[in-house]
Each structure stands twice: as C-alpha cells, then as structure tokens.
Amino acid sequence: MKDDAGLLRWLEKIDQFGFCFIGGVPPTPEDTERLCKRIAFIRETQYGGFWDFTSDLSHGDTAYTNLALKAHTDNTYYTDPAGLQLFHLLSHTDGEGGATLLVDGFYAASILKEINPAAFDLLSRVRIPAHAAGDDHSFYKPGPTSAGYPLITVDPKTGLLAQIRYNNDDRSVVSGLDGNQMEEWYEALRAWNKCLTSHDSEYWVQMKPGTALVIDNHRVLHGRSTFTGKRRMCGAYIGADEFRSKLTVLQELAKWRASGGEERKESLRSIWDPRL
C-alpha cells in the first residue's frame, strides 16, 4: 500500500471479487485508519467516523453484541448506503468463535433468477422499508418517501446486477401489497434466503489480528458466528463514489505511466472520454 501500484491492485481485487483481504497491517487503530484513508476519506455516520469498538452495546445495534449475525448488508436504512466497509480484528481474548461470514450477493441473486425468476422479479420491484432507531439520538429511514428500496437493484441500461440491500434485522413492515401479493413476497424472501444460506454461497473465515478485510457493501453480505470473550474491532465506511473515483484515477495514471509518461504536465482525461 506504500505506492499507487499496490493500492491499484488492491482496489481492482475489491472491484473484481467484491472483497479483499490485506495482510501485514499492524493491529492498531492508527495504522488501520491510515489504511482506510489510502482509499478515500472516511464516511461519518451516527456511529462516528473511524470506529474502534467491543461488544459493549455502546450503540443500539446488534454489531455491538456477541450474537451471531446472519448475512446482511449495512446501511439499508440510508438513502445512500456506504460503498465499502473495512474491518480489522485487533484482539480476541478469553474466548473463541466469531468467525466471519461472506456471501456474494450477486452470485446468490443470479442463482435465484435462474431457479425462480418470479421471485427475482418480485424482489427487484417491491420496495422494502428499513429503519435504524436503536439510539435515542438518531432515527433513520431511507428517503424520499420512506418506502425503502428493492432488495435487488438491476441497472436499467445494462440489465446487470447493480446493488443488494438486505438486512432482515433492520427491515420495517412491508406495506402496499394485498394478501396474495404479500404471500408471494414472503415466498420470494424464503427463496432468497435459501440461496444466501446454501453451502456454495457461504464463505467462512476466522479473522486474525494483522489481516484487514474490505467488502463492497453494495454486493457482498457479511455476518458472523456467536463468540465468547472480548473482541476488539475497528474499521470504517467509505463512499461508493469515492471508491470508484480513486479506482478510475489510479487506472488512468497506470495507463499513462505504461505509455512512457512521467510527469503530469496536462490532464490525463480527454473531454471526449466515453466515460463522461
């Protein structure tokens, strides 16, 4: 991570696979925060900016407990969920457990579409309200109508999967459906859960101090097994736009350098760039 080439390889792995481990990180909050800021500025939320926490229930959120957490994405109660989430286990003493669960939501959604296209269609159309109201000083519901967003978002131009929003613990009451539609929606949700929890979808790993994990929160769901003892975790959120911006800029710079360029005397980006 000391140079742009290393940072680019890291970001491209996240872009390709939806998550990436990085080893050799000193198990301190300061070094982990510096690692986060190599990508972009840290996103501030009601949980703070860079977080350093234990299971002390300092916030009204299940992350601050030692309970098992099923596969989910974060920030479903935001209009704009964080793009990246970085975790680093600093220590785990006097106990065991707490394995990390990762599920590629795009993979699960593609399986659902193949075996149950009607369920996929429902979950990509029906808006699911969500909320975060565990702390007295904040109350979040996604705007502008509080109706929420579909579990699966498909890019209307390309038809490709664009985003997964799913956290059953943050889900509010689904409304606006008649009795038959509601039953169909619950059947679709059961089908989705089967795809999420199938053996080939779940990847379990025991995190250790010194190895950080970054996930694409718009694609990869995460969870954990229950644990005993005291765990100290740290990490942060980074915006999706900031991640894409840094990735694009580093790719442009790498292409410039590969063509023999040394000093940036002019803009690397043409006004006719097809991405604009």
Side-chain angles (χ1 to χ4, degrees):
M1 295 304 112
K2 293 182 179 179
D3 57 28
D4 289 340
L7 180 58
L8 175 58
R9 286 195 297 272
W10 184 31
L11 299 188
E12 286 182 331
K13 293 296 183 185
I14 300 170
D15 185 50
Q16 180 180 2
F17 298 108
F19 69 95
C20 186
F21 297 97
I22 177 167
V25 183
T28 68
E30 295 78 14
D31 286 290
T32 308
E33 184 173 5
R34 279 193 286 270
L35 177 64
C36 294
K37 290 180 177 179
R38 285 289 285 134
I39 302 176
F41 55 85
I42 289 172
R43 179 170 177 173
E44 189 88 16
T45 70
Q46 74 268 35
Y47 306 111
F50 182 82
W51 12 271
D52 178 357
F53 68 97
T54 62
S55 54
D56 59 0
L57 274 176
S58 58
H59 288 282
D61 189 282
T62 50
Y64 293 80
T65 70
N66 63 352
L67 301 174
L69 302 179
K70 294 184 178 181
H72 64 281
T73 61
D74 276 17
N75 305 156
T76 57
Y77 40 77
Y78 289 164
T79 305
D80 175 29
L84 298 184
Q85 185 171 8
L86 186 145
F87 300 98
H88 188 192
L89 175 66
L90 298 180
S91 63
H92 187 178
T93 57
D94 302 323
E96 59 185 10
T100 295
L101 168 64
L102 300 174
V103 178
D104 186 342
F106 286 4
Y107 171 78
S110 67
I111 295 300
L112 180 66
K113 185 177 183 179
E114 180 178 345
I115 65 176
N116 196 333
F120 180 92
D121 179 64
L122 262 179
L123 296 180
S124 62
R125 288 189 296 105
V126 176
R127 292 175 174 267
I128 303 175
H131 67 274
D135 290 336
D136 291 339
H137 58 76
S138 63
F139 188 102
Y140 285 89
K141 296 182 73 174
T145 64
S146 296
Y149 293 84
L151 190 156
I152 299 169
T153 299
V154 177
D155 188 306
K157 183 176 181 180
T158 65
L160 298 175
L161 290 164
Q163 186 177 3
I164 302 295
R165 283 178 177 254
Y166 181 65
N167 188 339
N168 205 47
D169 290 340
D170 292 333
R171 179 166 62 84
S172 298
V173 177
V174 177
S175 59
L177 301 177
D178 63 33
N180 290 333
Q181 290 174 323
M182 184 62 73
E183 288 187 9
E184 291 173 355
W185 184 82
Y186 273 111
E187 287 297 330
L189 194 64
R190 292 187 187 98
W192 165 251
N193 186 64
K194 286 183 179 179
C195 292
L196 280 187
T197 57
S198 66
H199 180 72
D200 60 323
S201 292
E202 294 187 333
Y203 174 64
W204 289 91
V205 60
Q206 191 72 51
M207 298 295 293
K208 296 181 179 180
T211 297
L213 167 65
V214 181
I215 63 170
D216 180 345
N217 187 53
H218 288 193
R219 171 180 173 180
V220 173
L221 299 89
H222 64 282
R224 69 163 184 244
S225 64
T226 187
F227 65 90
T228 58
K230 183 177 181 179
R231 291 199 334 162
R232 184 184 177 194
M233 296 282 293
C234 69
Y237 292 127
I238 295 170
D241 293 334
E242 285 68 46
F243 163 56
R244 295 293 172 191
S245 172
K246 179 57 71 73
L247 176 60
T248 299
V249 168
L250 290 177
Q251 287 173 332
E252 289 178 336
L253 189 57
K255 184 177 180 180
W256 168 264
R257 287 170 173 165
S259 66
E262 295 181 0
E263 296 183 17
R264 295 179 60 174
K265 297 181 180 179
E266 56 185 28
S267 175
L268 304 180
R269 195 174 303 127
S270 166
I271 60 170
W272 304 111
D273 191 310
R275 295 169 298 181
L276 299 180

